[in-house]
């Protein structure tokens, strides 16, 4: 195989490994913990692991990292599979569970004991931290550190047999209690946890620590490059130590990259779970959630998410990505492909006084001016229409180019109309706007070339369909909701207006919308059908608005 050129620091390591012959293949893995739904940060990791392997004709495994028996759930496993597949990646038959390795991992632990590199320690909670020392002071040896191999083996087997209670003792590595890296100060390998595991049931009452299970799982699967986020950097010496201490050849290499942080977005699974459980959102797939399922429901495509991950790339230093870049990626895609339709979110009636009662006219409009191949459709224009309430003002400020008394606007693709008055209810609220139309302006063109600055959309009052429309804003009001100001809790940072529901009117053609369809509601943004939609009541989500603030910021 010709070795492709590296375009980031991880690929540089790989290219080097392939060129020097350190490796003859690339094998990565994506190791989610099934304790929540995947979010956009995971999507970055998925694109990175699968994308990197693909580039070098390698393979990627999925490994459910289910070493924590109490927090995991089958629902999460299923959702993770669905999301990875939806993002466009295939792990073929290479789906593994860390819990499948418990027997082997246990054997490795016994081997470490036999090598004199692990011991059963009986220090309890507080004592353990006390003995560990601090960043500036060395720790001291546990009084149980120098037990014989036989004694350790016996005790460890008794731990496995359930003869001790939680916290009574644990197995730890024998490394160096004065090591400058705290992770190397005789870290725990196995702890007692009398919990039922979602796959292994009650077979085990001792569970391996992540730091022990992970390198061994990587090694057993033949992983070459074990890509993880930056917080594991200080664990790397331990990752290497376990593999070396056990004398394993062809060791995988751990490589860290900076995790994705997005502005106005909470990424911690624990917090996302709280949002779901408190019913602050409609579920893991609420369109405001940063989860893959939420983005899917919101109308994002897999390709737009992959494009986003491609654009942000990877780095070795933590940073914050502007959420507008995510919006930009889906907007670009939808701009090219979405069917244009007219909708009115906050309808007010418009009556054309000089139009004949009962007369309708067919108007042909383009389905997508960005792509003429999408053809045209016909819509009906008549005497009574709906327009957007905010497109009329009785007493407008200067430079208001929409409808006002005596003012003229273009009704999109139809006619010029001039406002001649309005009706109000007993509270002074405007109920109907009256206009006259210029028969010479059919199709929105004027014969005399007179200029009209405003163009507004409309929906035929007779033919328009009632739909519910949900508009979304960021779930949080602050750029970095992970940083909670003193005296506040993170819930205080929630945006109370993150979802606004409108009873809208829309062109009749959308009555046949399917889940796969994407629309641009002219002047309003891009929309898709929500899963709450029924035959009686269509529900649309706004995927993203039309305004492109990200590009503006770049200029
Ligand atoms: P959280 O802290 O939100 O619970 P986690 O890191 O514990 O996330 P895992 O299920 O263990 O979640 O993550 C699976 C993989 O996804 C890991 O390799 C992890 O490094 C990666 N990952 C998780 N969050 C992010 C993120 N924000 N950006 C990039 N990669 C991430
Ligand atoms: Mg994790």
């Amino acid at each position: 195989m010709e070795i492709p050129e590296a375009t980031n620091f991880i690929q540089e390591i790989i290219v080097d490994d392939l060129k020097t012959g350190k490796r003859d293949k690339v094998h990565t893995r994506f190791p989610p913990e099934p304790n929540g739904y995947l979010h956009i940060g995971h999507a970055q990791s998925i694109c990175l692991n699968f994308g990197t392997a693909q580039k070098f004709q390698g393979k990627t495994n999925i490994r459910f990292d289910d070493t924590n028996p109490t927090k995991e759930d089958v629902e999460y496993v299923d959702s993770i599979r669905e999301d990875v597949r939806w993002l466009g990646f295939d792990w073929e038959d290479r789906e593994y569970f860390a819990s499948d390795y418990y027997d082997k991992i246990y054997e490795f632990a016994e081997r470490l004991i036999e090598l004199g590199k692990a011991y059963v320690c009986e220090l309890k909670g507080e004592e353990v931290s006390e003995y560990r020392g601090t960043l500036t002071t060395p720790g001291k040896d546990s009084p149980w550190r120098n037990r014989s191999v036989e004694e350790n083996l016996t005790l460890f087997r008794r731990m496995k047999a359930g003869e001790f209670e939680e916290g009574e003792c644990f197995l730890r590595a024998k490394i160096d209690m004065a090591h400058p890296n705290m992770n190397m100060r005789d870290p725990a390998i196995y702890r007692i946890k009398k919990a039922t595991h979602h796959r292994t049931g009650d077979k085990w009452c001792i569970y391996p620590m992540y730091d022990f299970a992970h390198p061994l799982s990587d090694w057993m699967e033949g992983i070459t490059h074990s890509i993880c986020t930056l917080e594991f950097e200080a664990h790397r010496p331990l990752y290497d130590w376990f593999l070396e201490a056990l004398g394993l050849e062809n060791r995988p290499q751990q490589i860290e990259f900076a995790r994705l942080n997005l502005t106005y977005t909470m990424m911690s699974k624990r917090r996302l779970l709280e949002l779901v459980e408190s019913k602050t959102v409609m579920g893991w797939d609420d369109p405001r959630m940063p989860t893959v399922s939420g983005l899917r429901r919101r109308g994002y495509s897999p390709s737009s998410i992959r494009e986003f991950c491609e654009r942000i790339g990877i780095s070795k230093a933590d940073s914050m990505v502007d959420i507008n870049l995510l919006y930009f990626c889906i907007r670009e895609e939808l701009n090219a492909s979405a069917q244009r339709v007219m909708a009115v979110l906050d309808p007010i009636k418009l009556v054309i006084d000089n139009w004949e009662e009962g007369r309708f006219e067919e108007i042909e409009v383009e389905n997508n001016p960005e792509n003429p191949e999408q053809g045209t459709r016909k819509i009906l224009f008549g005497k009574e229409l709906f327009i957007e309430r905010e497109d009329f003002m009785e007493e407008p400020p200067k430079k208001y180019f929409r409808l006002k008394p005596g003012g003229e606007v273009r009704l999109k693709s139809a006619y010029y109309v001039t406002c001649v008055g309005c009706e109000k209810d007993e509270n002074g609220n405007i109920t109907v706007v009256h206009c006259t139309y210029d028969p010479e302006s059919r199709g929105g063109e004027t014969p005399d070339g007179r200029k009209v600055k405003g163009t507004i959309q409309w929906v035929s009052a007779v033919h328009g369909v009632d739909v519910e429309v949900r508009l979304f804003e960021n779930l949080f009001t602050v750029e970095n909701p992970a940083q909670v100001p003193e005296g506040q809790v993170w819930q205080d940072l929630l945006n109370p207006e993150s979802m606004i529901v409108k009873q809208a009117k829309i062109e009749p053609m959308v009555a046949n919308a399917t889940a796969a369809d994407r629309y641009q509601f002219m002047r309003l943004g891009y929309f898709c059908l929500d899963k709450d939609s029924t035959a009686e009541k269509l529900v649309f989500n706004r995927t993203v608005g039309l305004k492109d603030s990200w590009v503006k910021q770049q200029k």
Side-chain angles (χ1 to χ4, degrees):
M1 161 183 122
E2 191 162 339
I3 301 170
E5 219 170 293
T7 55
N8 63 41
F9 73 92
I10 292 179
Q11 293 180 14
E12 275 166 21
I13 295 172
I14 291 174
V15 166
D16 215 48
D17 288 350
L18 293 172
K19 281 190 177 154
T20 59
K22 180 181 170 190
R23 312 272 178 196
D24 58 8
K25 58 164 191 153
V26 174
H27 203 142
T28 60
R29 86 286 171 265
F30 173 63
E33 188 180 343
N35 63 346
Y37 280 60
L38 297 181
H39 53 54
I40 181 78
H42 294 115
Q44 182 193 26
S45 175
I46 291 165
C47 290
L48 178 59
N49 277 295
F50 281 90
T52 306
Q54 270 169 13
K55 175 161 179 171
F56 296 95
Q57 293 171 36
K59 290 179 175 155
T60 306
N61 299 356
I62 278 202
R63 184 193 317 134
F64 292 99
D65 167 27
D66 55 354
T67 44
N68 187 344
T70 53
K71 289 195 297 187
E72 290 145 8
D73 205 311
V74 188
E75 177 196 347
Y76 298 138
V77 171
D78 291 339
S79 74
I80 290 168
R81 285 192 190 115
E82 184 187 358
D83 289 349
V84 176
R85 232 175 253 134
W86 180 77
L87 281 170
F89 299 106
D90 184 6
W91 58 98
E92 297 171 327
D93 58 352
R94 294 178 308 279
E95 176 177 293
Y96 304 104
F97 287 81
S99 56
D100 290 345
Y101 304 138
Y102 281 171
D103 285 306
K104 286 184 182 139
I105 294 171
Y106 177 84
E107 280 169 34
F108 280 120
E110 284 210 352
R111 201 188 302 170
L112 266 190
I113 295 175
E114 283 159 4
L115 291 165
K117 290 173 181 174
Y119 62 100
V120 174
C121 180
E122 291 172 46
L123 290 177
K124 309 283 181 308
E126 291 251 307
E127 295 169 324
V128 178
S129 355
E130 209 182 287
Y131 273 77
R132 191 178 290 130
T134 65
L135 282 174
T136 48
T137 55
K140 52 184 184 194
D141 287 357
S142 157
W144 315 103
R145 199 172 197 263
N146 293 313
R147 296 207 222 244
S148 68
V149 167
E150 285 65 37
E151 198 183 351
N152 278 315
L153 268 183
T154 309
L155 285 169
F156 188 46
R157 287 172 186 165
R158 287 180 57 200
M159 273 171 67
K160 182 187 176 213
E163 292 181 30
F164 299 101
E165 292 310 311
E166 286 185 16
E168 239 182 292
C169 52
F170 65 110
L171 184 72
R172 62 198 297 191
K174 194 169 177 178
I175 307 180
D176 179 1
M177 286 307 289
H179 201 287
N181 181 339
M182 299 276 284
N183 294 311
M184 300 294 274
R185 294 186 188 169
D186 292 11
I189 300 178
Y190 263 90
R191 62 190 165 158
I192 299 167
K193 200 149 197 181
K194 303 214 163 156
T196 306
H197 188 279
H198 77 116
R199 282 174 64 89
T200 58
D202 293 322
K203 177 175 176 192
W204 296 91
C205 62
I206 56 173
Y207 289 93
M209 302 301 290
Y210 176 88
D211 278 340
F212 188 59
H214 203 80
L216 293 175
S217 307
D218 281 345
W219 183 82
M220 286 186 276
E221 291 177 18
I223 300 305
T224 54
H225 301 86
S226 177
I227 303 171
C228 65
T229 40
L230 222 48
E231 69 273 20
F232 290 102
E233 193 172 17
H235 296 242
R236 188 179 349 121
L238 186 54
Y239 182 102
D240 293 337
W241 187 90
F242 281 130
L243 295 170
E244 237 176 272
L246 287 162
L248 304 175
E249 303 286 332
N250 290 322
R251 296 197 279 271
Q253 178 182 0
Q254 176 182 307
I255 308 170
E256 309 86 17
F257 72 102
R259 64 168 50 229
L260 169 66
N261 299 301
L262 259 189
T263 56
Y264 300 98
T265 305
M266 178 74 79
M267 213 78 95
S268 142
K269 273 193 272 187
R270 195 164 53 85
R271 293 274 155 86
L272 295 179
L273 177 64
E274 280 182 71
L275 285 171
V276 172
E277 287 185 334
S278 63
K279 301 212 186 307
T280 307
V281 295
M282 298 181 281
W284 282 101
D285 67 349
D286 186 294
R288 293 164 292 180
M289 292 280 271
T291 51
V292 173
S293 50
L295 293 168
R296 176 165 62 233
R297 184 170 169 190
R298 173 101 168 230
Y300 278 79
S301 62
S303 50
S304 64
I305 296 175
R306 291 196 303 264
E307 170 68 16
F308 170 73
C309 293
E310 182 68 28
R311 278 172 179 262
I312 57 177
I314 51 162
S315 88
K316 284 193 234 192
D318 275 315
S319 69
M320 189 74 107
V321 173
D322 186 341
I323 193 161
N324 285 302
L325 178 58
L326 184 61
Y327 299 152
F328 171 83
C329 290
I330 186 65
R331 188 186 291 116
E332 284 281 290
E333 207 180 281
L334 292 174
N335 179 43
S337 60
Q339 157 89 52
R340 271 57 171 172
V341 291
M342 290 202 279
V344 171
L345 296 186
D346 194 3
I348 184 172
K349 185 151 297 168
L350 180 91
V351 176
I352 301 174
D353 293 343
N354 59 342
W355 187 279
E356 228 175 292
E357 193 82 46
R359 177 182 150 222
F360 295 99
E361 194 173 299
E362 233 176 29
I363 291 175
E364 188 166 23
V365 292
E366 275 179 307
N367 285 330
N368 183 357
E370 298 284 323
N371 180 14
E373 280 179 21
Q374 283 176 246
T376 60
R377 71 182 180 289
K378 294 195 170 116
I379 51 177
L380 289 171
F381 185 86
K383 187 175 181 73
E384 297 201 352
L385 311 169
F386 287 111
I387 61 165
E388 211 61 77
R389 184 168 287 275
E390 62 169 34
D391 283 340
F392 171 75
M393 279 185 93
E394 199 180 13
E395 287 165 35
K398 266 188 194 154
K399 301 213 169 173
Y400 182 84
F401 298 121
R402 289 167 282 166
L403 214 48
K404 57 191 169 192
E408 188 171 42
V409 295
R410 179 192 290 109
L411 291 175
K412 173 75 187 167
S413 305
Y415 287 97
Y416 280 22
V417 291
T418 302
C419 178
V420 293
C422 61
E423 292 173 38
K424 292 180 192 169
D425 64 13
E426 63 277 13
N427 301 318
N429 296 319
I430 294 161
T431 51
V432 181
V433 179
H434 286 273
C435 286
T436 55
Y437 84 110
D438 176 356
E440 301 296 303
S441 62
R442 190 170 199 279
E445 306 294 332
T446 45
D448 59 6
R450 75 178 181 273
K451 290 228 163 49
V452 158
K453 280 208 172 141
T455 300
I456 64 177
Q457 85 276 18
W458 52 274
V459 171
S460 164
V462 177
H463 307 95
V465 176
D466 288 303
V467 298
E468 177 175 315
V469 165
R470 297 174 179 171
L471 306 177
F472 304 106
E473 295 296 335
N474 297 329
L475 200 46
F476 291 91
T477 53
V478 295
E479 242 184 49
N480 183 4
Q483 253 171 30
V484 184
E486 243 186 75
Q488 286 192 300
V489 291
W490 66 270
Q491 285 90 343
D492 295 335
L493 311 176
L494 282 165
N495 177 5
E497 307 213 308
S498 57
M499 178 165 102
I500 291 175
V501 177
K502 299 274 189 190
Q503 304 306 325
K505 296 278 182 185
I506 193 158
E507 278 186 42
M509 73 101 55
V510 301
N512 306 316
T514 69
D517 291 326
R518 296 292 179 271
Y519 296 96
Q520 185 197 88
F521 292 3
M522 290 167 79
R523 294 176 70 214
L524 300 171
Y526 295 96
F527 293 78
C528 68
L529 216 54
D530 186 71
K531 70 169 192 188
D532 287 346
S533 218
T534 63
E536 289 73 47
K537 184 85 180 176
L538 295 180
V539 180
F540 282 93
N541 293 325
R542 177 152 74 186
T543 307
V544 69
L546 287 178
K547 218 174 90 212
D548 203 339
S549 48
W550 189 75
V551 164
K552 276 190 202 126
Q553 281 171 27
Q554 301 303 300
K555 277 182 194 158

